[in-house]
Amino acid sequence: MPGPIDAVLAVTYRCNSRCTMCNIWQAEPQDEDEITHYRRLPPSLRSINVSGGEPFLRGDLPAIIAAIKTQCRRGQIIISSNGLQPQRIRKLGQQILRLDPGIGVGVSIDGIGEVHDRIRGVSGAYERAVESVRVLQELGCTNLRLAYTATQGNAGQMVRVYNLANELGVQFTCAVAHSSDHYFGTDDTVVPDGELLDEELKRLSSSELRSSSPKRWLRSYFTSGLRHFVAHGRRPLPCDAGRDFFFMSPRGDIYPCNIRDEVMGNLRESNFSTLWTSDQANRVRAAIAGCSICWMICTARTAIRRHPLQIGWWILANKARGHLEGKSSIEAPGRISGRIP
């Protein structure tokens, strides 16, 4: 079986925020992988999200990044952070950017000012997150983005955060809150206001599509996929979790994705190749075949890579029209209309 190309690595479940849509901060302390275990990762990885909890709470984060880079030489690394400790980010960021100036950082911002503070459960969280972005810019980090998660508590804030990203000169990514027993610690998704969210996603997708950047065109498609997921409760492209993608917990448990709680194996107990081709891993793949319960960038990215013609036609058709209309209804593979009705 070919090796996976995409992964989310939770290097810690420790977290210094108190988010309304995630209960990681309430979780029991968990053993964290020694640095040597990151040298067991598959070299096939091309996209690696180093996440948490809050990854910058690990003082050995630069050593973890170095180990990942040694094993996954062609992998693009993105660190996801809540940005609550700008000075700690400055200290560790200097070391990390010396390893690779192209390493990316995504700072979570879910609204402007008090809205973000309320969702993150920390007074002053917004100001500190913006300061962290500026600190990283001062350090020379050019692969920067604001990461927005839509919940019931920040309706109407997406476009405002998108505009903030443009003002700061950084990229913008978005997601809708999902439930997950083993990762987010939630078994209930708080769905934002559907009509307002659809309008914001439509505006964002149209704006990205009007740019001259192919990367932003792909984000336009992903954002329209979010419209489709919110409207219909299913993803617009098949999921290859457990094949192209995996999620790893701080103790080395390998899951097919962030959402499903079936364990494929543990990297402390086996090398990755043996784990990935084991009977247990194959049973998990069979159990989740056809799963359509999420549309998140970690698994959407690999799905988009597998359907380049469909995505290409969608981009060409919608750029030719110049805008997106109505409720999202992205055609399934094999039924390509090239437009959103």
Side-chain angles (χ1 to χ4, degrees):
M1 172 178 289
I5 58 175
D6 211 319
V8 169
L9 311 178
V11 298
T12 182
Y13 280 168
R14 289 178 287 147
C15 194
N16 51 352
S17 63
R18 302 292 182 264
C19 300
T20 59
M21 68 291 197
C22 175
N23 294 331
I24 281 181
W25 56 275
Q26 296 178 346
E28 292 294 325
Q30 188 176 111
D31 291 341
E32 297 173 353
D33 276 336
E34 298 176 4
I35 293 171
T36 53
H37 296 133
Y38 294 97
R39 297 195 179 100
R40 297 183 181 178
L41 291 168
S44 57
L45 290 177
R46 298 293 178 267
S47 299
I48 303 160
N49 183 353
V50 175
S51 187
E54 171 51 44
F56 281 98
L57 290 179
R58 288 200 63 160
D60 59 351
L61 184 60
I64 291 173
I65 299 298
I68 295 170
K69 282 187 58 62
T70 297
Q71 183 64 11
C72 310
R73 296 184 181 276
R74 297 175 63 189
Q76 169 64 58
I77 299 172
I78 302 291
I79 304 171
S80 295
S81 173
N82 58 30
L84 287 180
Q85 294 182 302
Q87 295 314 311
R88 185 175 180 87
I89 288 174
R90 181 188 298 277
K91 176 183 176 181
L92 297 177
Q94 285 177 326
Q95 302 173 51
I96 290 168
L97 290 169
R98 279 199 293 267
L99 295 169
D100 180 359
I103 283 177
V105 181
V107 177
S108 296
I109 294 186
D110 299 320
I112 303 301
E114 186 274 336
V115 175
H116 179 70
D117 292 3
R118 173 167 41 80
I119 289 173
R120 294 284 157 170
V122 177
S123 178
Y126 174 77
E127 291 182 359
R128 281 185 264 173
V130 172
E131 183 182 352
S132 290
V133 172
R134 298 192 188 282
V135 162
L136 288 161
Q137 289 176 319
E138 290 171 9
L139 293 178
C141 181
T142 57
N143 189 2
L144 271 171
R145 64 208 62 189
L146 302 188
Y148 175 93
T149 300
T151 70
Q152 205 168 44
N154 62 355
Q157 292 284 310
M158 181 182 295
V159 173
R160 296 186 68 186
V161 177
Y162 177 71
N163 290 338
L164 173 65
N166 289 332
E167 291 170 12
L168 292 172
V170 301
Q171 303 169 59
F172 176 86
T173 62
C174 62
V176 173
H178 285 66
S179 61
S180 168
D181 287 339
H182 78 86
Y183 185 34
F184 306 123
T186 57
D187 56 11
D188 235 354
T189 300
V190 180
V191 180
D193 180 281
E195 290 187 9
L196 179 56
L197 178 60
D198 183 77
E199 180 60 30
E200 290 210 302
L201 288 170
K202 182 174 70 173
R203 288 177 62 187
L204 174 59
S205 185
S206 294
S207 178
E208 293 292 83
L209 197 60
R210 286 194 297 268
S211 79
S212 59
S213 166
K215 185 175 184 178
R216 292 177 65 180
W217 301 343
L218 294 175
R219 284 186 175 152
S220 174
Y221 179 86
F222 170 77
T223 305
S224 282
L226 275 180
R227 293 181 66 205
H228 177 91
F229 180 78
V230 171
H232 303 290
R234 63 181 185 274
R235 55 189 294 130
L237 293 175
C239 182
D240 287 302
R243 293 177 174 82
D244 288 343
F245 173 84
F246 68 88
F247 168 83
M248 188 172 81
S249 77
R251 63 163 63 111
D253 288 323
I254 303 294
Y255 296 86
C257 71
N258 315 38
I259 306 297
R260 302 295 301 241
D261 62 1
E262 297 89 343
V263 179
M264 304 176 77
N266 186 284
L267 202 55
R268 294 181 175 185
E269 301 167 358
S270 171
N271 66 60
F272 192 89
S273 178
T274 300
L275 180 159
W276 199 241
T277 57
S278 68
D279 290 342
Q280 181 177 350
N282 288 330
R283 283 193 295 271
V284 170
R285 292 187 188 98
I288 68 171
C291 182
S292 190
I293 62 174
C294 79
W295 182 248
M296 303 178 74
I297 192 61
C298 49
T299 53
R301 182 166 42 223
T302 54
I304 288 170
R305 283 172 176 156
R306 283 190 174 273
H307 297 87
L309 292 179
Q310 177 174 346
I311 311 308
W313 278 115
W314 183 93
I315 290 170
L316 287 173
N318 285 286
K319 279 188 74 68
R321 289 170 58 235
H323 64 284
L324 307 177
E325 298 175 347
K327 280 283 185 180
S328 174
S329 182
I330 294 177
E331 295 292 333
R335 297 171 53 228
I336 303 171
S337 70
R339 65 175 287 174
I340 299 176

